Amino acid sequence: MFQIFLMVGLLVFACFAVFSENIKRSVIYLGIFSLIMTLTYLHYNAPDVALAEAAIGVGISTIMYLVATKKFSIYDICYVNEDVEVFNDESINEIMSNVVRPLEKFLERTEGFEPQLAYTNHPIEKIMQEDNHDFYVHRKGNLTYLYGNKSDRVFQDIVANMDKVIKDIKDIRVIYMDEVGRSERDE
Amino acid sequence: MKETNRSINIIRVIFMVVSVFIVLFFFLNYSEKMSRPLMDYFTAGFLAETGAQNAVAAIYLDYRVFDTLLEALMLLVSVMEVINVSWAHKEAKQYSLEEELFNRKDNSEIVIRMVGAIYPFVLLIGLYTIFNGHISPGGGFQGGVILATALISRYLVYPNSDLDLEKLENFEKLLFLAIVAIPVLYIFMQVEPFYSLISRQFYMILMNSLIGLKVFSGLSIIFYRFVFYEGR
């Protein structure tokens, strides 16, 4: 019984690691896979091999992969919604299916960038002054603004494939930050 | 590039085919009859013969120490290959963050504090695994990997290259020489001051710590090479 549990767990986490959308999640799933592998070795009375698997699979290779993904190119996205009082898991789950997942998928499949999202309810002018993100999604009432640079190739692609990237939202305005001067943005 | 002669190529092919047949002939005709199974031989009296309470340590440090030597050589060769590859098409210059001595902008405070707190415990468990390798599960390789994990997690906290990799490389080569020399003296030539359980256990601990230090320095070199000499 325990063996079947271990084998099914191995299979499930191997599939998770392969089919996961996000690279960092894959690395963590691989770590869990190695942990179950360690348990399997222990179950079959091989503690020396189990120790080696724990040290290499969970320890060193996870850290190595995480450092490697840190050096991987990342596209920095900031999602701004000033209407939300407190940004909790519920409000993220609301936009998960129509904004976040398609955007992540598009960036990974077609652009080869690792998306990194930040959520906030601070006013957008303040965020633009303080932080430097590549791409802003700003929602205000029924309107959705996309902020980006015209020289940015990835942003151009996102605008061109808008119907794939952002679903179920009709009113979208695109604002090129480097064309719109600072004086207009301050208004 | 000079063209090789056609007849030389034919001679090479014939030589390879003949040698393959000779090896296969000797391999298929070789048979050694043992009075008892190999498992019994390894597990019957390993404590009295080798001084190790862990049968695995008895095998890889005494009965089959030749395999261990070649494994250590394999790690040395792979480290040398990594050094060779990471120099290719690159200037002989180290990437280092010189303006900011302590660059913690990209790192989260939580990771820094937690790694700092866990650090001594990781070192302790690595040393324990090395020094108790002949008694409990573990050994030089596992302990060395745990020590290397401690050094590598240091990169997450303090991503500057102030390690002297050159010294570490020379240290690793010296360690390999020691790893080859000690079994040759102890096992093959049997140069021992006195043959007793304590001297055997001393040999086990010495070999385990040497292998542990070698694996530690080898994996650290590979990691820091990849981080600072490859990519952006």
Side-chain angles (χ1 to χ4, degrees):
Chain A
M1 190 56 218
F2 191 57
Q3 292 171 25
I4 295 170
F5 172 72
L6 286 174
M7 297 299 159
V8 169
L10 279 177
L11 207 64
V12 164
F13 277 102
C15 287
F16 274 176
V18 172
F19 295 115
S20 166
E21 299 281 327
N22 194 313
I23 287 178
K24 272 180 189 154
R25 262 171 237 157
S26 292
V27 172
I28 300 303
Y29 286 140
L30 261 186
I32 300 170
F33 174 83
S34 296
L35 215 57
I36 301 175
M37 201 71 174
T38 308
L39 224 78
T40 316
Y41 283 136
L42 264 183
H43 182 69
Y44 286 114
N45 290 330
D48 288 86
V49 188
L51 206 62
E53 175 72 32
I56 294 171
V58 186
I60 211 163
S61 73
T62 308
I63 293 177
M64 273 199 173
Y65 278 132
L66 284 181
V67 171
T69 50
K70 212 177 167 187
K71 288 175 155 272
F72 197 72
S73 37
I74 284 173
Y75 198 67
D76 198 355
I77 302 162
C78 188
Y79 183 86
V80 188
N81 195 345
E82 291 172 33
D83 300 338
V84 180
E85 290 271 311
V86 181
F87 234 106
N88 50 15
D89 285 355
E90 270 179 32
S91 40
I92 293 175
N93 277 333
E94 273 177 21
I95 57 167
M96 195 57 107
S97 62
N98 58 358
V99 179
V100 177
R101 287 268 176 250
L103 199 61
E104 282 184 346
K105 220 177 211 170
F106 177 77
L107 281 171
E108 275 170 9
R109 293 279 158 75
T110 48
E111 307 290 333
F113 278 83
E114 179 83 354
Q116 176 184 311
L117 271 96
Y119 308 94
T120 179
N121 57 355
H122 292 293
I124 189 151
E125 289 84 6
K126 199 180 152 204
I127 294 159
M128 276 184 181
Q129 277 173 4
E130 284 175 2
D131 298 332
N132 189 20
H133 297 280
D134 293 322
F135 177 49
Y136 296 88
V137 181
H138 180 210
R139 303 195 67 170
K140 205 173 185 183
N142 291 326
L143 283 173
T144 302
Y145 296 97
L146 303 181
Y147 292 84
N149 288 325
K150 188 150 195 179
S151 52
D152 190 353
R153 186 182 56 81
V154 181
F155 183 66
Q156 292 280 345
D157 282 355
I158 290 174
V159 171
N161 299 299
M162 196 121 57
D163 54 330
K164 271 191 227 161
V165 176
I166 296 175
K167 288 171 181 163
D168 306 326
I169 299 174
K170 292 288 177 278
D171 267 336
I172 298 178
R173 311 275 158 92
V174 178
I175 294 164
Y176 294 112
M177 286 194 295
D178 43 0
E179 282 196 349
V180 180
R182 176 166 285 277
S183 58
E184 283 182 59
R185 210 199 295 159
D186 285 345
E187 284 176 14
Chain B
M1 214 171 119
K2 224 172 77 179
E3 284 270 313
T4 38
N5 209 338
R6 195 181 157 80
S7 56
I8 290 177
N9 272 339
I10 292 171
I11 290 171
R12 272 181 190 160
V13 170
I14 291 171
F15 179 74
M16 257 174 57
V17 170
V18 168
S19 50
V20 163
F21 270 107
I22 289 171
V23 168
L24 275 180
F25 178 77
F26 279 112
F27 179 72
L28 292 175
N29 284 306
Y30 178 78
S31 69
E32 190 182 13
K33 291 281 181 290
M34 296 184 100
S35 55
R36 53 184 176 166
L38 211 56
M39 196 190 84
D40 288 350
Y41 176 70
F42 283 144
T43 52
F46 63 87
L47 180 58
E49 282 176 19
T50 66
Q53 288 170 38
N54 181 6
V56 177
I59 288 172
Y60 78 77
L61 286 182
D62 200 304
Y63 293 123
R64 298 205 158 194
V65 75
F66 202 66
D67 295 8
T68 309
L69 297 187
L70 289 180
E71 262 176 65
L73 180 69
M74 200 188 71
L75 187 65
L76 189 76
V77 168
S78 64
V79 167
M80 272 154 59
E81 194 52 44
V82 165
I83 291 168
N84 193 20
V85 164
S86 62
W87 277 116
H89 311 299
K90 293 262 163 42
E91 285 179 25
K93 204 185 98 201
Q94 222 164 315
Y95 292 100
S96 56
L97 308 161
E98 277 171 4
E99 328 64 84
E100 292 173 84
L101 240 179
F102 197 80
N103 180 26
R104 55 161 62 180
K105 196 185 144 210
D106 301 338
N107 293 302
S108 91
E109 186 82 20
I110 301 171
V111 171
I112 291 173
R113 298 280 170 218
M114 285 312 293
V115 169
I118 291 170
Y119 213 76
F121 295 102
V122 177
L123 286 179
L124 253 181
I125 205 171
L127 290 176
Y128 169 80
T129 318
I130 289 176
F131 290 132
N132 261 25
H134 63 295
I135 296 170
S136 61
F141 183 74
Q142 289 92 328
V145 173
I146 294 170
L147 287 185
T149 312
L151 191 72
I152 285 168
S153 57
R154 175 182 174 278
Y155 171 79
L156 297 176
V157 177
Y158 187 70
N160 296 330
S161 68
D162 53 354
L163 279 181
D164 197 349
L165 286 185
E166 201 105 325
K167 262 184 200 162
L168 214 57
E169 283 155 20
N170 291 332
F171 182 56
E172 201 209 353
K173 284 166 193 163
L174 279 179
L175 278 174
F176 178 69
L177 270 185
I179 287 173
V180 173
I182 288 171
V184 166
L185 289 177
Y186 253 76
I187 306 284
F188 300 148
M189 291 168 72
Q190 308 226 319
V191 182
E192 282 185 69
F194 52 94
Y195 186 87
S196 72
L197 212 63
I198 292 169
S199 102
R200 287 274 130 175
Q201 282 178 348
F202 175 72
Y203 161 76
M204 292 272 161
I205 294 173
L206 188 65
M207 274 303 282
N208 264 336
S209 40
L210 284 177
I211 292 173
L213 282 177
K214 189 182 140 44
V215 170
F216 160 70
S217 46
L219 286 178
S220 319
I221 290 167
I222 289 178
F223 179 78
Y224 275 92
R225 274 277 165 176
F226 271 135
V227 165
F228 286 114
Y229 291 81
E230 285 279 319
R232 291 168 298 132

